[in-house]
Amino acid sequence: MTDLPTPDRTSPDQTDSEPMGDLRARARGIDKSFGDNHVLRGIDFDAVAGTTTALLGPSGSGKTTILRTLNVLERPDHGTIRIDDVEVDFGVLPLKGQAAREQTASLRAQSGMVFQSHNLFPHKTVLENVIEGPVQVQKRPADEAVAEARDLLEQVGLSDKSDQHPFQLSGGQQQRVGIARALALRPRMVLFDEPTSALDPELVGEVLAVIKDLASEGWTTMIVTHEIGFAAQVADQVLFLDGGVVVEHGTPAQVIGDPHEDRTRQFLSRIRRD
Ligand SMILES: Nc1ncnc2c1ncn2[C@@H]1O[C@H](COP(=O)(O)OP(=O)(O)OP(=O)(O)O)[C@@H](O)[C@H]1O
Ligand SMILES: [Mg+2]
């Protein structure tokens, strides 16, 4: 085995600002509008290193937008995001210019996104898909990237598929390649946006099992999911979002098992009925 980047072996606080302790990520006052649609209205949360945060909430509540702002696929209008030792205050960051580009690029590199569907390169093999980012983007040596990719493929249960092409894989296997591909970039936090919602029901379990495995191995993850049972089982922390605010947060036992807020109760009873 090569030395895989389990992100929680170290979390040195390398900046001069307020120490994070065991925190891996911190968001404060995240605001985002699309035109006059005010989608995020002051989002705050902390994510402890090595834990899983589940993000629940109705359609349109802003879940995907939160993940996209963490990965700076969307730029917040205001607020501060910190992942590990990189912190960006979007309220003061210039809109354009070299400094803005560098800061957003360094924050983006801290997290890896796994989307609803995989977008693998169809003409590349599984292994080539996994090494693409480390070699092309991070300019790491190919032999090192290959060795690490083989370990990651083993971790997601696909050692025997490394020379296949995506069309030869099931949807669940393709999604697991997508997970290996995100991990290959050695993110400090892995963000999953409904990673099983595009899958046939019989394939959901194998992907959830891989995500559960990552959580138990110490990766710091945030997952948007409608799989309430899974969230209850795997998450250390649940954030319930509605209308662009965190309505309630706490342990799964509290937020899912004994919600304080009416909006959370209504959402849970609706989703359990479906
Ligand atoms: N790029 C965009 N441009 C304009 N509006 C957007 C954009 N992305 C999201 N929105 C709007 O922001 C709101 C929140 O969307 P978001 O995708 O974050 O919700 P969600 O909670 O992930 O919903 P779902 O459960 O349906 O995936 C919606 O009103 C959506 O239309
Ligand atoms: Mg969404």
Side-chain angles (χ1 to χ4, degrees), residues 58-65 67-68 116 193-194 224 226:
S59 181
S61 59
K63 305 179 300 293
T64 294
T65 307
L67 295 191
R68 289 175 61 84
Q116 285 175 353
D193 191 3
E194 300 196 44
V224 172
H226 291 291

Side-chain angles (χ1 to χ4, degrees), residues 8-228:
D8 301 298
R9 282 179 197 156
T10 57
S11 180
D13 197 338
Q14 294 158 354
T15 66
D16 294 334
S17 56
E18 199 186 327
M20 293 262 280
D22 279 345
L23 287 188
R24 175 58 47 87
R26 178 164 63 194
R28 289 292 179 271
I30 301 300
D31 243 69
K32 177 71 187 172
S33 294
F34 294 106
D36 51 13
N37 187 6
H38 195 176
V39 174
L40 301 181
R41 299 167 178 261
I43 300 290
D44 296 335
F45 64 81
D46 292 330
V48 172
T51 65
T52 298
T53 299
L55 210 49
L56 308 181
S59 181
S61 59
K63 305 179 300 293
T64 294
T65 307
I66 289 182
L67 295 191
R68 289 175 61 84
T69 57
L70 289 173
N71 195 235
V72 214
L73 293 168
E74 297 290 351
R75 181 191 159 118
D77 301 324
H78 298 284
T80 305
I81 294 175
R82 180 164 173 181
I83 301 178
D84 207 26
D85 58 354
V86 177
E87 180 172 64
V88 176
D89 183 345
F90 289 92
V92 301
L93 185 72
L95 282 175
K96 290 199 166 100
Q98 184 67 10
R101 275 196 300 278
E102 281 173 11
Q103 280 199 56
T104 48
S106 65
L107 181 59
R108 179 171 299 140
Q110 298 290 81
S111 62
M113 282 276 267
V114 178
F115 299 94
Q116 285 175 353
S117 57
H118 16 76
N119 305 319
L120 301 175
F121 298 111
H123 57 285
K124 289 185 187 282
T125 65
V126 165
L127 187 77
E128 287 165 352
N129 266 278
V130 178
I131 65 170
E132 166 83 15
V135 173
Q136 299 300 328
V137 181
Q138 296 180 327
K139 310 291 180 205
R140 280 164 44 201
D143 53 348
E144 177 193 302
V146 166
E148 199 166 299
R150 290 196 189 284
D151 285 345
L152 289 168
L153 287 170
E154 188 182 338
Q155 199 174 345
V156 300
L158 292 176
S159 296
D160 55 336
K161 303 288 182 197
S162 51
D163 297 328
Q164 308 246 300
H165 284 78
F167 74 89
Q168 297 169 294
L169 306 181
S170 72
Q173 290 168 338
Q174 291 184 35
Q175 190 61 321
R176 286 188 275 147
V177 177
I179 293 172
R181 206 166 61 156
L183 300 181
L185 290 166
R186 299 180 162 181
R188 306 297 286 155
M189 186 170 193
V190 192
L191 311 171
F192 295 93
D193 191 3
E194 300 196 44
T196 60
S197 62
L199 297 177
D200 291 338
E202 71 271 21
L203 303 178
V204 168
E206 65 185 64
V207 173
L208 292 182
V210 166
I211 296 171
K212 192 173 170 185
D213 212 42
L214 298 180
S216 67
E217 289 199 6
W219 287 86
T220 309
T221 62
M222 180 171 274
I223 176 167
V224 172
T225 182
H226 291 291
E227 306 278 344
I228 299 292

Side-chain angles (χ1 to χ4, degrees), residues 218-248:
W219 287 86
T220 309
T221 62
M222 180 171 274
I223 176 167
V224 172
T225 182
H226 291 291
E227 306 278 344
I228 299 292
F230 177 74
Q233 211 188 354
V234 172
D236 300 280
Q237 164 177 242
V238 175
L239 306 177
F240 173 68
L241 198 77
D242 195 10
V245 298
V246 178
V247 172
E248 187 161 358

